[in-house]
Amino acid sequence: MSQSIATKELARRIVNQVETFILDVRNTDDFDDWKIEGESVEIINEPYFNLIDGVDALAGRINKNQEVIVVCARGNSSKMAAETMEEAGFTNVYDLEGGMQAWSQHLEPVKIADLSEGGSLYQFVRLGKGCLSYMAVSEQEAAVIDANRMTDVYERFAQEKGVTIKHTIDTHLHADHISGSRQLAENTGGSYHLPPKDAGEVTFDYKPLKEDHDMTVGNTTIKVQPLYSPGHTIGSTSLIIDHQYLLTGDILFLKSIGRPDLAGKADDWVGDLRETLYSRYKKLSDELIVLPAHYSSVEELGEDGSVQAKLGDLYQRNAGLQVEDEQSFRDMVTENLPPQPNEHETIRQTNMGKINPEVEEQREMETGPNRCAVNA
């Protein structure tokens, strides 16, 4: 009987850069589209179909005594593949519980900093999807920003810290993953905040997230600055926390910039995107720490597993911030758009409250990589 490993344990290995060998038994097209990555991860692909009658396809590729974690879509094929390998004499084989579907849902909390007036800021890293969400904690209160739909993770974390979630905030109407912010507010009795320019079609009540409407969490001021920062969406709004941390949503990432086309408005919004990146953000302190809502590659994870960088450093090294000519910028953005995220329009409809898919359908809708960035 094969052993299993939980997504939580695998996530900690990757964050701590423990050497990990993975055999992914999904179809090659699925593997090429989206896989588990990490600085310390070695991964090979051999479709399960090729392992049904034996493990000859693995000859010379895996040592029979080395530790191997077998991964599939939902955890069924990997379990059978692991058992076949054990029967063939492999001695240290694990299957990943729940497969890539479970991996896509795991959130790993990482502490960013203690805040100057008391309290702390945490980043929740969704390693299997590249999503980043945040919790600011001060005294007995908390605010959660860009929550994923797995609301129980934030609720448990708040309970562990002895705080009540008073505010949930979406920096924009998400199109690549289902927001948990509204549900989290309902569960905890908090208030849900959304930029009004992104809320024209929503079917629910919300508090407008806009300039000069600061929020206080315990002793910590969450300041919404001139940042109204459109471009990814027309309502995109950045947050400055504790005068030190710039939560950029999907406008600016560490190695790329936001895409303006997920509502079909690329030509209209690319000008807004440039205005935000080359004017609005330029007026801010270079010392602000950028905390985005996504990351694109494992290289963006720091040694502590967090994703962060100084704004001034990004102006020096992020290619998306180096294009001075306006037409060249427009061409770069519109010509380098990656494929649309899976089910992006259905996800937008869900986040507007127009449809309410069952949990299993929501999992399926989110499967696959995040595609919120334009890489210059």
Side-chain angles (χ1 to χ4, degrees), residues 228-235 258-276 280 326 329-330 333-334 337:
Y228 182 51
S229 43
H232 178 64
T233 67
I234 196 61
R259 61 188 297 171
D261 67 310
L262 294 185
K265 302 283 184 69
D267 290 337
D268 294 340
W269 291 356
V270 68
D272 293 317
L273 181 65
R274 181 175 176 80
E275 175 70 14
T276 291
R280 287 184 176 92
E326 187 168 347
F329 178 84
R330 182 177 288 272
V333 170
T334 56
L337 292 170

Side-chain angles (χ1 to χ4, degrees), residues 337-354:
L337 292 170
Q340 299 267 356
N342 296 345
E343 300 280 359
H344 75 282
E345 186 53 39
T346 312
I347 289 173
R348 288 182 76 248
Q349 297 284 324
T350 303
N351 287 337
M352 287 188 279
K354 291 186 173 183

Side-chain angles (χ1 to χ4, degrees), residues 37 51 162 241 273 287 301 315 328 348:
E37 297 178 285
L51 303 174
I241 294 181
L273 181 65
E287 296 301 307
L301 292 174
Y315 275 110
S328 298
R348 288 182 76 248

